[in-house]
Amino acid sequence: MSDPFFHPVSGFDLPRFAGVPTFMRLPYVPPEHARFGDVEVGLIGVPWDSGTTNRPGPRHGPRQLRDASTMIRAQHPTSGMRPFETVNCADLGDVGPNPADIPDSMERITAFYDKVMGAGIVPLTGGGDHLTSLPVLRSVAKEGPVGMVHFDSHTDLFHSYFGGTMYTHGTPFRRAVEEGLLDPKKVVQIGLRGTMYDTEDRDFAKANGIRLILVEEFHERGVADVMAEAREIAGSGPTYVSYDIDFVDPTFAPGTGTPEVGGPNSYQALQVVRELEGLNIVGADMVEVSPPFDPSGGTAFLGVSIMFELLCVMAGQMKGAGA
């Protein structure tokens, strides 16, 4: 049973439209807080989109995600998991980026996550564009390479953009493999689709043993079969989960910078996370929610619903490990 200090505010006690929004109405526990060391899962905002190459906006994602998350309640509808009563969860606040300097922002992000990892906290991130994952992985994988289950329309495995720019939201996992943060043979990317510049990214994946599951294969085989393979690829070792909201078809998640048609629906978006049960998840993120393209907040609500699904899997894993 978790410490009641870390339980969220109930909608029965304070209306969901009232109060200062934190992720899932959890207590705000920044690194300088006296209870920081008691947190087991930390929800973190990274309001940064300097790696975006076309339509910006994910820098506003964490704020909209937090606001939408006031609708998250205490119990999972099918598993019965009550994550906030299982492990100590808190909103650790935002990493303050430098919007004019990509390298400095990445250093700031990694330094923040070093504090989180040093305290033994498992991070669950709301981004931010997908370049956010790289500085997070630099902290999460500091002790050695991890596997990854990656939900996305795009591989994000390109070498560079615009004649030599190495750090964009299309390159984070190429850098992560090169830096030894990811074990490519334990990486699976699911839902890939859309028109292409060329095959450079897929060629890199093939040469390094990264498993690519295109959306056609995803739809043909179904969620359960695809995710069984994903669990087999990741194995029992430490695994990072990266979830780009553009994995979901834009009919259900229009609020993103690089939408691609033909994707999974919102129910399948939840199903794939439920099928992660049993993995050793050492960190996860939800990225590329872009409020300017969906001011209604529907995309953000789907995003935080997916984050709740991730939290339930992580809490179950930690409970099973005796955390």
Side-chain angles (χ1 to χ4, degrees):
M1 188 71 175
S2 66
D3 186 330
F5 172 83
F6 293 101
H7 292 182
V9 177
S10 171
F12 288 154
D13 297 326
L14 181 70
R16 299 188 180 279
F17 53 80
V20 177
T22 59
F23 276 120
M24 304 182 196
R25 310 193 95 189
L26 289 163
Y28 172 50
V29 183
E32 60 273 15
H33 195 284
R35 301 299 304 273
F36 184 73
D38 297 324
V39 179
E40 294 171 287
V41 177
L43 286 79
I44 303 162
V46 183
W48 182 60
D49 61 6
S50 296
T52 303
T53 56
N54 185 24
R55 303 198 304 176
R59 68 180 61 188
H60 303 292
R63 185 166 293 183
Q64 193 186 42
L65 287 165
R66 280 192 176 91
D67 197 31
S69 77
T70 62
M71 281 300 298
I72 297 296
R73 301 177 184 89
Q75 182 167 315
H76 193 281
T78 58
S79 72
M81 167 61 72
R82 297 178 68 88
F84 308 119
E85 297 174 13
T86 305
V87 293
N88 291 343
C89 305
D91 187 328
L92 307 187
D94 281 349
V95 182
N98 178 347
D101 191 320
I102 288 177
D104 182 50
S105 289
M106 290 197 292
E107 289 177 8
R108 293 176 184 219
I109 294 166
T110 300
F112 187 99
Y113 281 78
D114 283 347
K115 295 177 184 177
V116 172
M117 299 300 294
I121 301 169
V122 180
L124 175 54
T125 302
D129 73 42
H130 222 147
L131 184 56
T132 299
S133 300
L134 178 60
V136 174
L137 279 167
R138 286 174 176 170
S139 183
V140 170
K142 197 175 287 284
E143 301 303 318
V146 300
M148 182 175 70
V149 180
H150 175 202
F151 302 104
D152 205 326
S153 292
H154 316 101
T155 66
D156 298 344
L157 288 172
F158 280 95
H159 177 267
S160 58
Y161 277 53
F162 308 110
T165 299
M166 307 297 279
Y167 298 102
T168 78
H169 66 170
T171 68
F173 301 124
R174 178 75 162 253
R175 300 288 89 79
V177 170
E178 293 169 348
E179 293 179 22
L181 307 175
L182 291 176
D183 178 349
K185 293 180 173 55
K186 293 184 178 180
V187 172
V188 55
Q189 300 184 315
I190 302 168
L192 307 171
R193 61 190 187 275
T195 56
M196 302 164 62
Y197 294 109
D198 53 36
T199 62
E200 180 218 325
D201 56 332
R202 295 186 183 184
D203 293 343
F204 178 85
K206 183 177 181 180
N208 287 274
I210 295 172
R211 172 72 166 108
L212 304 183
I213 298 179
L214 276 59
V215 79
E216 290 82 3
E217 181 179 352
F218 176 86
H219 287 309
E220 181 179 347
R221 293 173 58 189
V223 169
D225 191 33
V226 165
M227 293 310 298
E229 182 185 357
R231 292 193 303 273
E232 182 179 354
I233 290 169
S236 60
T239 301
Y240 191 79
V241 179
S242 190
Y243 202 125
D244 188 324
I245 197 66
D246 73 28
F247 168 75
V248 187
D249 191 89
T251 302
F252 305 92
T256 191
T258 315
E260 302 288 359
V261 298
N265 62 34
S266 57
Y267 178 57
Q268 292 169 316
L270 305 180
Q271 280 184 301
V272 293
V273 178
R274 296 174 186 179
E275 294 287 339
L276 294 171
E277 186 175 345
L279 293 184
N280 177 17
I281 298 174
V282 294
D285 64 46
M286 159 56 61
V287 298
E288 296 286 358
V289 171
S290 185
F293 299 106
D294 187 6
S296 73
T299 303
F301 184 57
L302 177 57
V304 295
S305 298
I306 292 165
M307 290 178 73
F308 181 75
E309 296 284 346
L310 286 164
L311 178 60
C312 288
V313 173
M314 294 159 75
Q317 159 206 315
M318 295 170 73
K319 180 181 179 182

